[in-house]
Amino acid sequence: MTEQPSRRATRVWRRPMRSRDRAEHHRVATPLELLFDLCFVVAVGQAAAQLHHALAEGHFGHGVLSFAMVFFAIWWGWLNFSWFASAFDTDDVPYRLATLVQIAGGLTVAAAVSSAFEGDFRLMVAGYVLMRLALVVQWLRAARADPECRPSALRYAAGITLVQLLWVAFLWVPHGAQLPAFVVFAVLEMAVPVWAERRHGTTWHPHHIAERYGLFTLIVLGEVILSATNALKEGTAEPGHLGALISLAAAALVLVFSMWWLYFDRPGHARLVRSPTMFTSMSWGYGHYFIFGSAAAVGAGLEVAVAYDTGTLHLGGVAAALPTTVPVAVFLLSVWLLHIGPTNECRPIAIGFPVAAVLVLAASFTPAPIHVTAVLAAALVALTVVATHGEPQPG
């Protein structure tokens, strides 16, 4: 059996944008996709930093709502690029240039995070629309070159374009009506793939998609570590708190490591391969908004905890704990729903995740909430190791 030549063995200026094989072997993330992720992590870091500032000032409702809106723009731009690349990545010059425009849009979104938290969405919308219209160009290329996928590609192009017109109109929506308008427009954005894939789905690659989501999870967890490290660095300047900060740093490290372990313990592609339906792919892909968002929010929560332990935060103990415990609980529940499942054959794990999430929320009322949360997360890791000992990994 002869080996097929690599698609990337010969560099050409332009290739037809054909669908890739869903069963293609050794389908891994490309260097361009990794660069795309690194540029988007800037936006994630900015969103987490602004969330921290809002929480530290006691503006919980405004901070969480603004973070959710900003993070949607970041997440949705990343998600659409990743799923398109899984099905149509040609890696020619026009494809790379269109990706460059998407990166420029993502960096513009990152630069607009602080103004969006203050209610000024002009720069945010400009970057977001730039990012999305660049993807429209990619879909039109796919429609021209791939007759089989042409109906879906044209639906994507038309749907995305129409919704971008709505986002531009969002700039003239009265302040009191912005939240309802945002919800409606976001739902319409998420409805475009459902409509476009209804008759003929694109040939995304399950292993490649799972790897892409895993890589972005790693990047977000890296932002958590960076946020905690910066907070600890600032905290050491406060005299008399070194012991408490060292203890908090150890708890934060255990917590982040446990989150990594729990997410990657089960192969991400297993559910996509086992049930490759549109509902499964959509629910799995869309559900990661809560995994990514909650993981990023943990970094902001740990910064609040550092400020509380050093006495520079004017909040009560419970109020200082909730910015960490709530996102950790959301993370555990999201991983449980997307990777484990309530009907999982391993009952200790199926029950352990939601129980751990409830106990993490209860930890907010303890004298050392971050430490208790870290212990609970580590205990859940130990439970998964013991419960699955000797069992083959799902493929």
Side-chain angles (χ1 to χ4, degrees):
M1 182 176 178
T2 59
E3 184 177 354
Q4 293 296 323
S6 170
R7 294 180 58 144
R8 305 180 189 280
T10 304
R11 173 67 56 209
V12 296
W13 190 87
R14 185 184 181 93
R15 292 190 181 98
M17 188 173 279
R18 304 286 187 182
S19 299
R20 300 188 70 155
D21 183 3
R22 186 186 290 268
E24 180 181 346
H25 294 294
H26 309 296
R27 178 74 171 100
V28 296
T30 66
L32 181 59
E33 289 173 310
L34 299 180
L35 176 63
F36 188 90
D37 290 354
L38 288 176
C39 293
F40 265 64
V41 76
V42 177
V44 173
Q46 290 294 316
Q50 291 300 317
L51 175 61
H52 161 241
H53 293 318
L55 295 176
E57 294 171 1
H59 302 153
F60 284 78
H62 170 73
V64 172
L65 185 59
S66 297
F67 177 79
M69 295 171 68
V70 166
F71 200 85
F72 175 84
I74 300 168
W75 163 77
W76 191 246
W78 177 89
L79 178 146
N80 278 259
F81 167 82
S82 298
W83 285 80
F84 180 89
S86 188
F88 291 102
D89 178 14
T90 60
D91 197 33
D92 58 6
V93 172
Y95 180 88
R96 290 187 173 191
L97 293 178
T99 302
L100 173 63
V101 176
Q102 289 177 271
I103 290 174
L107 293 176
T108 303
V109 168
V113 168
S114 59
S115 59
F117 266 72
E118 297 173 358
D120 183 358
F121 292 96
R122 289 175 297 177
L123 187 59
M124 176 70 66
V125 168
Y128 181 80
V129 171
L130 175 65
M131 187 169 48
R132 304 292 283 133
L133 292 181
L135 186 62
V136 170
V137 175
Q138 301 280 49
W139 280 116
L140 291 175
R141 283 193 65 197
R144 180 180 180 183
D146 195 326
E148 189 175 357
C149 288
R150 184 171 297 154
S152 295
L154 290 176
R155 286 189 176 194
Y156 269 110
I160 294 172
T161 300
L162 289 175
V163 178
Q164 300 325 295
L165 295 175
L166 294 178
W167 285 120
V168 173
F170 178 82
L171 298 177
W172 284 272
V173 173
H175 181 74
Q178 283 185 336
L179 180 57
F182 173 85
V183 172
V184 171
F185 297 169
V187 169
L188 290 175
E189 281 275 26
M190 293 186 289
V192 170
V194 178
W195 173 59
E197 301 263 350
R198 186 173 57 182
R199 293 186 178 178
H200 186 282
T202 53
T203 57
W204 49 270
H205 194 287
H207 289 76
H208 174 251
I209 283 295
E211 182 192 23
R212 296 290 294 116
Y213 274 69
L215 289 171
F216 201 74
T217 301
L218 287 175
I219 286 176
V220 175
L221 290 176
E223 273 299 314
V224 174
I225 295 174
L226 178 62
S227 298
T229 301
N230 289 336
L232 290 168
K233 181 180 177 181
E234 295 176 4
T236 54
E238 300 291 334
H241 300 284
L242 183 60
L245 290 178
I246 291 176
S247 176
L248 184 60
L253 180 59
V254 170
L255 176 59
V256 174
F257 190 78
S258 298
M259 292 170 65
W260 166 84
W261 192 310
L262 294 169
Y263 179 87
F264 288 99
D265 187 63
R266 297 278 168 147
H269 67 269
R271 183 178 177 186
L272 298 177
V273 172
R274 184 170 59 250
S275 178
T277 63
M278 184 176 72
F279 175 79
T280 299
S281 61
M282 293 292 179
S283 61
W284 190 89
Y286 288 6
H288 269 73
Y289 171 84
F290 298 100
I291 290 181
F292 296 155
S294 62
V298 169
L302 290 174
E303 291 189 75
V304 171
V306 170
Y308 177 79
D309 280 5
T310 56
T312 59
L313 186 69
H314 303 293
L315 290 176
V318 175
L322 289 174
T324 300
T325 57
V326 170
V328 170
V330 172
F331 180 88
L332 294 178
L333 289 175
S334 301
V335 172
W336 174 60
L337 289 172
L338 297 180
H339 281 194
I340 307 299
T343 60
N344 190 281
E345 294 178 358
C346 185
R347 298 311 295 167
I349 295 180
I351 298 173
F353 272 79
V355 170
V358 172
L359 292 176
V360 164
L361 291 176
S364 307
F365 302 92
T366 64
I370 308 303
H371 299 75
V372 175
T373 298
V375 170
L376 290 170
L380 184 57
V381 170
L383 174 64
T384 62
V385 171
V386 172
T388 59
H389 178 67
E391 293 184 3
Q393 285 286 339

